[in-house]
């Protein structure tokens, strides 16, 4: 059950924003075989100048079309699975004319007890939800 935060500069249409979110979700579905309804995205637009995304010394320039993605999910997936997900997301966003250098992904892992889906309960701990398979 990933929680995905997507940060972009202001300027895309509502349809473009929805397609970004859907493209990322479709990549996660394909790579991690999660249920379709495990769709938890927060999409935030920022005024120009509020996203700083340099190249970390890799020798390329990003454009104002940068898409900053944070994926919060349970630990346990292999590095190969993560790399496959990163590539799938970049491929899906390339179909939406987002250049590879403009796809930035941060991946944060946690444990089942770190999630509450409502009512102030940790449903993976209480047994209301089954802990997802990796």
């Amino acid at each position: 059950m990933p929680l995905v935060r997507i940060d972009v500069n202001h300027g895309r249409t509502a349809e473009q924003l929805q397609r970004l979110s859907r493209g990322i979700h479709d990549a996660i579905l394909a790579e991690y075989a999660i249920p379709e309804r495990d769709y938890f995205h927060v999409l935030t637009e920022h005024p120009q100048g509020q996203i700083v995304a340099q190249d970390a010394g890799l020798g390329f320039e990003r454009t104002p079309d940068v898409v900053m993605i944070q994926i919060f999910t349970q630990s346990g997936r292999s590095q190969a699975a993560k790399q496959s997900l990163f590539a799938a997301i970049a491929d899906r966003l390339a179909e939406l004319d987002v250049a590879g250098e403009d796809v930035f992904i941060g991946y944060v892992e946690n444990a089942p007890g770190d999630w509450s889906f409502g009512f102030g309960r940790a449903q993976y701990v209480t047994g209301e939800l089954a802990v997802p398979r990796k």
Side-chain angles (χ1 to χ4, degrees), residues 9 31 75:
N9 285 311
E31 295 301 315
S75 62

Side-chain angles (χ1 to χ4, degrees), residues 101-122:
E101 63 269 18
D102 284 333
V103 178
F104 181 98
I105 303 170
Y107 193 94
V108 181
E109 296 182 320
N110 54 37
D114 296 327
W115 296 92
S116 173
F117 294 88
F119 306 103
R121 295 190 302 269

Side-chain angles (χ1 to χ4, degrees), residues 55-117:
D55 68 351
L58 295 171
F60 59 85
E61 294 295 322
R62 297 186 202 276
T63 74
D65 291 333
V66 65
V67 179
M68 304 284 288
I69 303 162
Q70 297 173 322
I71 301 171
F72 301 86
T73 192
Q74 291 188 37
S75 62
R77 292 185 176 92
S78 70
Q79 190 59 54
K82 294 174 205 176
Q83 289 178 337
S84 183
L85 176 63
F86 298 162
I89 290 172
D91 289 345
R92 297 284 178 140
L93 295 187
E95 294 171 7
L96 303 174
D97 296 323
V98 178
E101 63 269 18
D102 284 333
V103 178
F104 181 98
I105 303 170
Y107 193 94
V108 181
E109 296 182 320
N110 54 37
D114 296 327
W115 296 92
S116 173
F117 294 88

Side-chain angles (χ1 to χ4, degrees), residues 25-77:
H25 187 62
D26 287 347
I28 295 170
L29 287 173
E31 295 301 315
Y32 284 3
I34 64 170
E36 166 66 37
R37 291 183 54 86
D38 278 2
Y39 193 171
F40 302 95
H41 288 199
V42 177
L43 204 145
T44 307
E45 288 185 281
H46 299 273
Q48 291 290 332
Q50 288 190 353
I51 294 178
V52 177
Q54 296 182 347
D55 68 351
L58 295 171
F60 59 85
E61 294 295 322
R62 297 186 202 276
T63 74
D65 291 333
V66 65
V67 179
M68 304 284 288
I69 303 162
Q70 297 173 322
I71 301 171
F72 301 86
T73 192
Q74 291 188 37
S75 62
R77 292 185 176 92

